[in-house]
Amino acid sequence: MTKPSDISPDTLLAAVASGLLTAEQAQGLRDLESANAPVLDREPHDDEKFRFISGFSDIFVTIGLGLFLGALGYFSRDMVGNTGMFAVIAAASWLLAEYFTRQQRMALPSIVLLLVYAGAVFSTVAEAFNPSLRFGVGLGNHGGLPIVVAGLATAVAAALHYRRFRVPVTIAAGVAALVASVVGVLFMLWPDFAVEAAKPLLLACGLAVFTLAMRFDLSDPQRQTRRTDIAFWLHMLAAPLIVHPMVGGLVGEGGSEAVSAWSILAIFIALAIVALVVDRRAILVSGLSYAGFAFGSLVVKAGLSDGVVPLTMLVLGALVLLLSAGWHALRRTLLPLLPGALAVRLPAHT
């Protein structure tokens, strides 16, 4: 447990950001503290650490925010309608962030308030353009203009929010809004084949988001600054955009063909290799459900349909545990195979 005299991780990050310490000096202090700490007090090494919750007060406040904003939306809807309700929630989220984010620096409430704010801004603009539009339903009939405008407005609103509060997830929220705008343009200009073209477009957007995430990652290989948190959330966004178009098409109506199952498993293994190389486990999360389907399909083919669910869970659980246990050893094997100029810019821990 941290003592009052200890230097907190946030203080070290601030020292690096201000130039008081270099990233190497800060890491040296962390290593020294870890080496001198009792065994039970030592934290396992994790290159994907980020501030998600700083204490139970974060959970307590988040529950309160959910209750307050939910009730506020209920009462404001009766007075000002759907569009006005979303606008009220967006304004309330910003005002609450002035205290819980800007002053109290609470991690989980800040993330929740940002997501609620971005969603409310998007819904406000989409409702204003087309009150019958609900989460993309009816794009073919009404065109993608509401989604395009709402996405662009949300991206601008996210940029203003980041300038004010500096919450790392804000960048991913803004990028997600831009992706929605790109999809909206497709439905607006080519509605006849938009559904068929949506998956390749989402894949292209996912690769673009992954590239942006890697730019942040490569600029901070020691993962000591806010850029690594921004990259984490961008990877969380990029993963489903990449995985769903790639393996979604392999899942047919029956979804039990062995060829498709093996293809899905091959894609999942490829994703695991990429995740190991860039040291981002988030890439694997989106592939787990599809890998589960693939294992289930293979089990059905083998005639063991009664045990599909437990056997799938067993294999997936074992795979995740093996990757977790051997993560750093596998990375030490893979990194030397990369070009030297790239390998030195990636996290490389023994």
Side-chain angles (χ1 to χ4, degrees), residues 123-134 137-139 141-143 146:
S123 299
T124 299
V125 179
E127 281 275 347
F129 269 81
N130 184 4
S132 64
L133 190 66
R134 292 292 184 275
V137 176
L139 277 174
N141 297 329
H142 303 286

Side-chain angles (χ1 to χ4, degrees), residues 8 16 22 35 43 49 73 91 110 145 157 208 211 236 243 276 287 293 308 328:
S8 69
V16 173
T22 65
E43 295 183 359
K49 286 185 178 179
S110 298
L145 182 61
T211 302
M236 289 291 288
V243 173
L276 283 165
F293 166 80
V308 168
H328 295 293

